[in-house]
Structure formats: C-alpha cells, structure tokens
Amino acid sequence: MMTATKGWAFALVVMFSVLLSWSIPRGESERAFISFSSHEPLVKVVSLASADGGQDFFMEMTDSVATNIEYDFYRDTCPEAETIVSSTMAQIYSQHKNVSAQLLRLFFHDCFIQGCDASVLLDDSNGNKNHSIEKQAVPNKTLKGFEKIDQIKEVLENVCPGVVSCADILALATRDGVVLAGGPFYPLFTGRRDSARSYYDESTAEIPKPDDNITQTLHLFSLRGFTDRETVSLLGGHNIGKIGCEFIQSRLNNFKGTGKPDPTVSPSFLNEMRVFCEDNGNEKSSQGSPMAATMASPMEFPTAAPMAAPMASSPMASRGMSEKPAQRGMPYFQQLSSSVSSGAGFDTHYYQSLLRGRGLLFADQQLMANERTARLVRAYASDDGSTFRMDFARAMMKMSNLNALTGSQGQVRLECTLAS
C-alpha cells in the first residue's frame, strides 16, 4: 500500500511539472527553472515512459528504490532544503555556466560506482588517509565541481545542521544544473545517505572509457540495469559543455597504441580536431569516462547551452591532486554546419554530429557501429528534441536511485569531503 501511494504521488508530481511547463518556452529555463519542453504533451510523457518495457514507469521506479527514499524526504526536518539547493545553484550558474556539465559528470561518476552515495567526494576512506580514494583514480582526475557542492552544503548546514546528505545535494544540484542549462526537469526522491568509504579500485576499473567500443560501453551500462535506449539517451548529455582535448588526443596521433590516427575519422575532421587541440599534442590520453566529455569540460559532460566557456580548473582539495590550468577542448555544439538548427544547446546536435561521423569521442561515434544504438541515434536526431529530453529525464531519474544508502546503512556528513 505504501509503495502504491508513493508511486501515485510521484506520478502526480511528474504530471504537474509537465503541465506547468506547457506555458514556458524552451530556453526560459534559467528564469523558470522548469524546462520540460512545451512540445512534450502529457500523453507523450506517459507513452514514452512505458514504450520499451510495457510496464508503468512510475510504479517501476518506486519498486526499484529503497523504501526510505521518498519524494520530499526533508519536508519535516528541513522543508526549505530543495529550495536552498535550487536558489544556490541559480546563483552559481549565473557566474559559472560550466557548473551544469561539471556536476553532471561528477554525479555520473558517483552513481556509477557503488551507487549514488557521494563517495566520490571523499578525501579519505573510512577515516583512513592512507587509503586510495576515488578522486585519485585515473578516470576521476579531471572531475570538477567539488567546491560547488561544498558551497551548497555550507548554506544548508547553516539552516539545517546535520540533516541533508551530500548524496542528496549532489543529486538535486545536478538536476537543477541540467534545468538551468536548458535541459528537462525531472522529479527526484530524496533520503539518500552518505558512504563512509571511497572506492578507488572500482572507479579505476568500472568507469566507461572514451576509447571503449560499443560492446564495452553497453556492457558496463547494462551491469547497472540500463537498457540500450537509456544508455544512448544518457550519452546525449555530451551535448552541453566541452570534450577536453586529453580525451580526444589519442584519436589524432596514437589510436589504441598504433602510433597512427583513428582510421574511422575523416581527414577533414581529423585536421579540424588537430587545430582545436594542437597545443595539447604532448598530452597522453586520459582514461576518463565518455560521460566525462559531457559537462563543461573533459567529461565532462559538456556544459550547457548557451555554449559554456572552457571550465576553469577547480581547486581540488584532495590529496595528491594539484590544480591544473584550464585545458582546451571541443564542444559538440560547434560540430554542426550552419544549415542544421542546433537550438539552445540541450537538444539533438550531439546525435546530429554522430550521423555525420563527427563524434568527438571514439565511444560516442561507436553508437553508430551497432544497429540497435544507431537506430536510436537516428530517432533522437529526427525530431525537435522532445523524445531525447523525455528519455534523458527518465534515465537520470533511474540513475539517481542506483543503490542508494538509507537508514543505518550510511551517514549524513557534516563536510562532504570527510566521513563523520
């Protein structure tokens, strides 16, 4: 009974969000903060939600999460929590447009390893400063946005001390960053608790790599319960921000250790990428994730539209990580010819680029190497972005619930970098 009630409440929240968004034009996200497209009618939301499974999406979502996670979890203990997160994010975004891409990547790297437990934020593991941490894993060395989460946490601690978890802050701030960047609004359950442990080995081995082939990418996502469709929609987060040159470099000169360029890249596109990344010719390819190119920087999930400026490197407080100068990169936004409408940024230009053979990452272009995923790319590229936006919202909701810690399983950190 409790699960059914929660499911219907969650469904009503989604419906209300969509109905409200009908009167808000796309591109008004920063002011309205709710950006389901006005072209996405409620009937389409319902049909897309169950299109590839035949089951009711909202009930499926509630059945898949712990019973202690619920909508508006802090309504009694910190009723202003979500408002504080959204208002602080709006302030940050007004000065740092790349924060959307930074947090999207950070959130992905957190949830992909042992679930959405804020373990990626830790500067030690179970209080042991001699234990390697996720921040030190190769795929995570280019992560940014940590100080933005700390900033939001500080505001919340001043209002509701010891109440709101860092895991919930990261989930909410990421969602709000997507909205501010022109992406879709999606409701979130809250009540996650924070891990005391950091997972260095798992982060090193299990984060998807930018040079993975399509089989490897689909396998890693399927291990977390994502379908092909959900995987293709999540990779569409690369439509905001920049792909750092360190993620592109191996395709230009030493693809998979051959000492030669990626043979699948056309000579003209190869030259274009070299122009953008010529100053990084001596950099070695990073083992970061494909999602790393999604935010405003290496994903980094590319940052949102309008085009974000190159990410300034964030002060990394963790051990062994020195601050690096901002690096050059390429956005998918600029890969379209002037004859193709690319909208405000969070639309289909990523998929349009793949159709033209202009995927910046090998792992991205590999979506066209498999008929199932290529068909999805063509479908997402064929309309005004409504299908992609709805599927992306759904997949992000699903990701946000991965292996959430609840109750006595975790803790609420007072500082996001330190276990309590």
Side-chain angles (χ1 to χ4, degrees), residues 240-269:
I240 57 171
K242 288 191 173 186
I243 307 291
C245 284
E246 68 268 37
F247 296 95
I248 299 171
Q249 193 61 44
S250 68
R251 300 190 76 192
L252 309 184
N253 302 305
N254 189 28
F255 181 65
K256 293 186 178 293
T258 62
K260 298 179 181 180
D262 181 352
T264 66
V265 181
S266 69
S268 61
F269 189 38

Coordinates of all heavy atoms in Angstrom, one line a residue, residues 240-269:
I240 N 26.1 19.3 -23.9 CA 26.5 20.5 -23.2 C 27.9 20.5 -22.8 O 28.5 19.4 -22.5 CB 25.6 20.8 -22.0 CG1 25.6 19.6 -21.0 CG2 24.1 21.1 -22.4 CD1 24.9 19.9 -19.7
G241 N 28.6 21.5 -22.8 CA 30.0 21.6 -22.4 C 31.0 21.3 -23.5 O 30.7 21.3 -24.6
K242 N 32.2 20.9 -23.0 CA 33.2 20.6 -24.0 C 33.8 19.3 -23.7 O 33.8 18.8 -22.6 CB 34.4 21.7 -23.9 CG 34.0 23.0 -24.4 CD 35.3 23.9 -24.5 CE 35.0 25.2 -25.3 NZ 36.2 25.9 -25.5
I243 N 34.4 18.7 -24.7 CA 35.2 17.5 -24.6 C 36.6 17.9 -24.5 O 37.1 18.6 -25.4 CB 35.0 16.5 -25.8 CG1 33.6 16.2 -26.1 CG2 35.8 15.2 -25.6 CD1 32.9 15.4 -25.1
G244 N 37.3 17.6 -23.4 CA 38.6 18.1 -23.2 C 39.5 17.4 -24.2 O 39.3 16.2 -24.6
C245 N 40.6 18.1 -24.7 CA 41.5 17.6 -25.7 C 42.2 16.3 -25.2 O 42.6 15.5 -26.0 CB 42.5 18.7 -26.1 SG 41.8 20.0 -27.1
E246 N 42.4 16.2 -23.9 CA 43.0 15.0 -23.4 C 42.2 13.7 -23.7 O 42.7 12.6 -23.7 CB 43.3 15.1 -21.9 CG 42.1 15.1 -21.0 CD 41.6 16.5 -20.7 OE1 41.7 17.3 -21.6 OE2 41.2 16.7 -19.5
F247 N 40.9 13.9 -23.9 CA 40.1 12.7 -24.3 C 40.0 12.5 -25.8 O 39.5 11.4 -26.2 CB 38.6 13.0 -23.8 CG 38.5 13.1 -22.3 CD1 38.5 14.3 -21.6 CD2 38.5 11.9 -21.5 CE1 38.5 14.4 -20.3 CE2 38.4 12.0 -20.1 CZ 38.4 13.2 -19.5
I248 N 40.5 13.4 -26.5 CA 40.5 13.3 -28.0 C 41.8 13.0 -28.5 O 42.0 12.4 -29.6 CB 40.0 14.7 -28.6 CG1 38.6 15.1 -28.1 CG2 40.1 14.7 -30.1 CD1 38.2 16.5 -28.5
Q249 N 42.9 13.3 -27.8 CA 44.3 13.3 -28.3 C 44.7 12.0 -28.9 O 45.3 11.9 -30.0 CB 45.2 13.7 -27.2 CG 46.6 14.0 -27.7 CD 46.7 15.2 -28.6 OE1 46.0 16.2 -28.4 NE2 47.4 15.0 -29.7
S250 N 44.3 10.9 -28.3 CA 44.8 9.6 -28.8 C 44.2 9.3 -30.2 O 44.8 8.6 -31.0 CB 44.4 8.4 -27.9 OG 43.0 8.2 -27.8
R251 N 43.0 9.8 -30.5 CA 42.4 9.6 -31.8 C 43.2 10.3 -32.9 O 43.1 10.0 -34.1 CB 41.0 10.1 -31.9 CG 40.1 9.4 -30.9 CD 38.6 9.8 -31.2 NE 38.1 9.1 -32.3 CZ 36.9 9.4 -32.9 NH1 36.2 10.5 -32.5 NH2 36.5 8.7 -33.9
L252 N 44.0 11.3 -32.5 CA 44.7 12.2 -33.5 C 46.0 11.6 -33.9 O 46.4 11.8 -35.1 CB 44.9 13.6 -33.0 CG 43.6 14.3 -32.4 CD1 44.0 15.7 -32.0 CD2 42.5 14.2 -33.4
N253 N 46.7 10.9 -33.0 CA 48.1 10.6 -33.3 C 48.5 9.1 -32.9 O 49.4 8.6 -33.4 CB 49.1 11.5 -32.6 CG 48.9 13.0 -33.0 OD1 48.9 13.3 -34.1 ND2 48.6 13.8 -32.0
N254 N 47.8 8.6 -31.9 CA 48.2 7.3 -31.4 C 47.0 6.5 -30.9 O 46.9 6.1 -29.8 CB 49.2 7.5 -30.2 CG 49.8 6.2 -29.8 OD1 50.0 5.2 -30.5 ND2 50.2 6.1 -28.5
F255 N 46.1 6.2 -31.9 CA 44.9 5.5 -31.5 C 45.1 4.1 -31.1 O 45.7 3.3 -31.8 CB 43.9 5.5 -32.7 CG 42.6 4.9 -32.5 CD1 41.7 5.4 -31.6 CD2 42.2 3.7 -33.1 CE1 40.5 4.8 -31.3 CE2 41.0 3.1 -32.9 CZ 40.1 3.7 -32.0
K256 N 44.7 3.8 -29.8 CA 44.9 2.4 -29.3 C 46.3 1.9 -29.4 O 46.6 0.7 -29.6 CB 43.9 1.4 -29.9 CG 42.4 1.8 -29.5 CD 41.5 0.7 -30.0 CE 40.1 1.0 -29.6 NZ 39.8 0.9 -28.2
G257 N 47.3 2.8 -29.3 CA 48.7 2.4 -29.2 C 49.3 2.1 -30.6 O 50.4 1.6 -30.7
T258 N 48.6 2.4 -31.7 CA 49.1 2.1 -33.0 C 50.1 3.1 -33.6 O 50.8 2.8 -34.6 CB 47.9 2.0 -34.0 OG1 47.3 3.3 -34.1 CG2 46.9 1.0 -33.6
G259 N 50.2 4.3 -32.9 CA 51.1 5.3 -33.4 C 50.5 6.0 -34.6 O 51.2 6.9 -35.3
K260 N 49.2 5.8 -34.9 CA 48.5 6.4 -36.1 C 47.2 6.9 -35.6 O 46.7 6.5 -34.6 CB 48.3 5.3 -37.2 CG 49.6 4.7 -37.7 CD 49.3 3.7 -38.8 CE 50.6 3.1 -39.3 NZ 50.3 2.1 -40.4
P261 N 46.6 7.8 -36.4 CA 45.3 8.3 -36.1 C 44.2 7.3 -36.2 O 44.4 6.2 -36.8 CB 45.0 9.4 -37.1 CG 46.4 9.7 -37.7 CD 47.2 8.4 -37.6
D262 N 43.1 7.5 -35.6 CA 41.9 6.7 -35.6 C 41.5 6.6 -37.1 O 41.1 7.6 -37.7 CB 40.8 7.3 -34.8 CG 39.5 6.4 -34.8 OD1 39.4 5.4 -35.6 OD2 38.6 6.7 -34.0
P263 N 41.5 5.4 -37.7 CA 41.2 5.3 -39.2 C 39.8 5.6 -39.5 O 39.4 5.8 -40.7 CB 41.6 3.8 -39.5 CG 41.4 3.1 -38.2 CD 41.9 4.1 -37.1
T264 N 38.9 5.6 -38.5 CA 37.5 5.9 -38.8 C 37.2 7.4 -38.8 O 36.1 7.8 -39.2 CB 36.6 5.3 -37.6 OG1 36.8 6.0 -36.4 CG2 36.9 3.8 -37.5
V265 N 38.2 8.2 -38.5 CA 37.9 9.7 -38.6 C 38.3 10.2 -40.0 O 39.4 9.9 -40.5 CB 38.8 10.4 -37.5 CG1 38.5 11.9 -37.6 CG2 38.4 9.9 -36.1
S266 N 37.4 11.0 -40.6 CA 37.7 11.5 -41.9 C 38.9 12.5 -41.8 O 39.1 13.1 -40.8 CB 36.5 12.2 -42.5 OG 36.3 13.4 -41.7
P267 N 39.7 12.6 -42.9 CA 40.8 13.5 -42.9 C 40.5 15.0 -42.5 O 41.2 15.6 -41.8 CB 41.4 13.4 -44.3 CG 41.0 12.0 -44.7 CD 39.6 11.8 -44.1
S268 N 39.3 15.4 -43.0 CA 39.0 16.8 -42.8 C 38.6 17.0 -41.3 O 39.0 18.1 -40.7 CB 37.8 17.2 -43.7 OG 36.6 16.4 -43.4
F269 N 37.9 16.1 -40.7 CA 37.5 16.2 -39.3 C 38.8 16.0 -38.4 O 38.9 16.7 -37.4 CB 36.5 15.2 -38.9 CG 35.9 15.4 -37.6 CD1 35.6 16.6 -37.1 CD2 35.5 14.3 -36.8 CE1 35.1 16.8 -35.8 CE2 35.0 14.4 -35.5 CZ 34.7 15.7 -35.0

